[in-house]
Amino acid sequence: MAVNARGTIHRTLDDESEDSKQQLDNADKGIWKDWPNQAAFEGLEEHRGPLQLRVKGTIPPWAAGTLYRTGPGQATVEGTSRGTHYVSHWFDGFAHTHKFDIIASEDGDGPMTVVYSSRRQSDEYVAAVKKMGWRHSISFGQKADPCVGIFAKFMSLFVPRRLNNNVVVLPNFPGLPDRQPENIARGHRTGTSKVYLSTDNKYLQQVDPDSLEPLGFADQAGLHPDLKGPLSCAHAQRDPETGDWFNFNVALGVKPTYRVFRVNAATGTTDVLASISEPDLPPAYIHSFFLTENYVVLCVPSTHFAWSGLSIAWQNNLLEAIKPFDKARRCRWFVIDRRHARGVVARFSTPAAFFFHSVNAFEECVAGGAGGETRTYINLDHSMYDTSDVMFGLYYDVILNRENATEAYLDANRDQNLHSRHVRYRFEMPLSAQTSQEAASAVAEEVLSIPSPHSGELSTIHPNHAGRPYRYAYGACNRGLSTFMDSIVKTDLQTREASLWSGPRAHTPGEPVFVPRPGGTEEDDGVLLSVVLDGTAQASYLLCLDATTMEEMGRAEAEFPIAMSFHGFHAPAL
């Protein structure tokens, strides 16, 4: 392991045991050097701006454009009819969207300008909580208010649902009515004319790409009448060549149905590529899926909902509706043809596990089979957890160590793997249609496993390598120094070496977004943009890293904290 003078740490496999020991020692002793600052999660203000940030160092002019970010913001509601309402789980913080306009000088040689603005997206929801005194709509993991009785909980089933889309920003999603005012004056120009926000349900929220003003919600049933199930995937995926978008919709009931669909970017029409409904296939919490050149690959992990999903309505949240983790419940995978309308073309399984995020997937053709035929293999990369315990570690009490909640959480899960690892499954596609027996016995091989902190969560890659072979993945990771992310890691999937950027103590980075250098020929030729919270100063900054060296190039500093968000994207300047 080597550390340079600018905060970048270079690691090899020889350091793996050292990192693992450090994490386990910290966990066993209940000792952490830092907890994220509360300013990252509660009482966060809007800054509709635009506000010009102070730029230090260098941000290259070819990185000009707009960085959109969205995630949880406000975590308390003051002055409700029952006093202060506290959000329990990080995933349930009220939606807050951010925009960084990165502007090059007119001649391209002068200093860069960065202008920031943000907007809350759930004001109607907050108003309803303030009026009723508790959160009545289905959430991810909101703990029940002990002051709310069974009757009030039952009556919540009949209160109009409120939506809190706070996970992913989707640019230019086709097929939905545009609620945007016509002939509106536009500011910093990018190729993004429409912006939607998504979460793990069937609704998309449109926001104005300039002002971030919420414009209303659209239902997936507006894309296709069969997409009427309540659940969907937050991470819709886009074909980088055609612009088509892919996702799935889940209908609950005695026989749940997964409908995998494509929205055509050119026509706005929607095709259902496969409807998957089997007697022993339960509904599950699924946050992402996989897209290759010819296939959509859906993994149903071991996070099954009880009562065929009907438990969601009674528990009023997804987390408590999920059955306790059972290692006997294997992950089930479905390979769907997205080119020739053949539906499901292969099935296989892998050991019980859970994942939030797929990283990439690609096909590999190998000649020289036993009969001289060419075999196709599908490689599926994701940030995997061996159990689902990580979801319980993202309650605010645990993240912020309120009343020793961190120690209690670790004590309860000491024998569990609470850190992700970058896993690649490799599956050999059958040459002919599988029989039911072949489908039941087919398995994928785990050919790569790189544990945290040598790999990260909230991963990103060079966008031109989506659906193709690739070498580098970038993510946010935890070196065991806090209850949250403390570094940005670059993982070399060929050598399994890692380079990490870490700021000073109490600096917490978010998801890195890769911006490629125009004309670059190397996969890591670009920059990473990440929003970092300085917990000591209670202020945030936009960090620009050289993606090759993982050294800081520049930053744009705010004088206030910016919420720790989930996901975003960079829209290049026109």
Side-chain angles (χ1 to χ4, degrees), residues 312-494:
I312 297 172
W314 178 244
Q315 297 292 351
N316 219 29
N317 73 66
L318 302 182
L319 189 50
E320 293 183 15
I322 297 173
K323 295 179 181 179
F325 190 84
D326 184 350
K327 292 183 178 180
R329 288 198 297 264
R330 293 177 64 85
C331 298
R332 297 175 60 179
W333 299 71
F334 299 85
V335 183
I336 298 105
D337 173 34
R338 72 179 182 97
R339 299 290 186 186
H340 309 292
R342 294 183 297 155
V344 177
V345 294
R347 293 170 169 82
F348 62 92
S349 71
T350 55
F354 169 69
F355 69 100
F356 287 117
H357 301 115
S358 58
V359 179
N360 195 22
F362 60 93
E363 298 164 32
E364 179 185 4
C365 294
V366 180
E373 70 279 356
T374 297
R375 307 305 300 258
T376 298
Y377 295 84
I378 298 179
N379 296 276
L380 304 152
D381 288 21
H382 53 300
S383 299
M384 196 185 85
Y385 299 86
D386 290 331
T387 74
S388 59
D389 290 329
V390 63
M391 291 191 282
F392 296 92
L394 295 173
Y395 279 105
Y396 282 124
D397 286 353
V398 176
I399 294 173
L400 299 172
N401 196 34
R402 293 169 174 157
E403 298 181 355
N404 297 320
T406 303
E407 284 84 349
Y409 169 72
L410 292 170
D411 287 343
N413 298 283
R414 180 165 293 169
D415 61 337
Q416 304 294 333
N417 183 359
L418 304 178
H419 299 278
S420 68
R421 53 193 177 100
H422 184 109
V423 168
R424 175 175 296 170
Y425 281 126
R426 190 169 186 255
F427 176 70
E428 181 180 343
M429 288 291 291
L431 294 175
S432 58
Q434 290 175 313
T435 66
S436 58
Q437 184 176 359
E438 289 171 337
S441 61
V443 297
E445 180 185 6
E446 183 181 305
V447 296
L448 182 66
S449 176
I450 304 177
S452 172
H454 297 268
S455 66
E457 256 284 14
L458 306 171
S459 296
T460 188
I461 66 171
H462 191 302
N464 292 345
H465 286 261
R468 300 176 180 177
Y470 72 118
R471 179 172 179 176
Y472 300 111
Y474 302 87
C477 68
N478 182 340
R479 292 187 292 138
L481 302 181
S482 77
T483 56
F484 213 60
M485 295 169 287
D486 54 42
S487 303
I488 298 174
V489 58
K490 173 186 181 180
T491 305
D492 187 327
L493 302 177
Q494 291 184 9

Side-chain angles (χ1 to χ4, degrees), residues 119-297:
R119 186 132 184 180
R120 292 175 175 172
Q121 302 295 339
S122 298
D123 283 349
E124 291 185 5
Y125 199 163
V126 171
V129 171
K130 196 165 188 175
K131 180 179 179 180
M132 295 188 66
W134 75 88
R135 192 170 189 144
H136 52 278
S137 287
I138 292 173
S139 65
F140 181 85
Q142 182 67 27
K143 293 182 178 179
D145 187 337
C147 298
V148 177
I150 294 295
F151 178 75
K153 183 177 181 179
F154 177 76
M155 291 305 297
S156 291
L157 297 175
F158 304 98
V159 175
R161 302 287 99 179
R162 303 288 178 177
L163 300 172
N164 185 42
N165 286 28
N166 65 358
V167 179
V168 176
V169 189
L170 303 176
N172 299 329
F173 194 93
L176 296 173
D178 190 357
R179 302 172 182 271
Q180 196 167 279
E182 296 182 1
N183 301 320
I184 187 170
R186 291 296 174 202
H188 186 53
R189 298 299 297 169
T190 69
T192 302
S193 60
K194 291 192 292 183
V195 170
Y196 291 90
L197 308 178
S198 66
T199 187
D200 298 307
N201 61 42
K202 65 176 181 175
Y203 295 101
L204 295 175
Q205 181 181 14
Q206 187 177 3
V207 302
D208 185 282
D210 281 341
S211 69
L212 303 180
E213 177 186 358
L215 300 176
F217 289 88
D219 190 323
Q220 286 180 352
L223 297 171
H224 193 286
D226 288 347
L227 305 179
K228 54 184 179 293
L231 301 181
S232 189
C233 181
H235 288 271
Q237 293 220 40
R238 178 180 177 272
D239 184 315
E241 294 184 359
T242 65
D244 296 349
W245 284 87
F246 296 81
N247 205 341
F248 62 86
N249 175 275
V250 186
L252 306 176
V254 176
K255 196 175 181 182
T257 301
Y258 294 82
R259 291 183 173 89
V260 179
F261 64 91
R262 172 186 56 212
V263 186
N264 189 297
T267 65
T269 58
T270 299
D271 303 311
V272 176
L273 302 176
S275 293
I276 308 169
S277 182
E278 300 175 358
D280 60 343
L281 181 65
Y285 175 68
I286 309 173
H287 193 67
S288 63
F289 60 99
F290 303 81
L291 190 68
T292 72
E293 182 181 357
N294 294 295
Y295 304 105
V296 179
V297 184

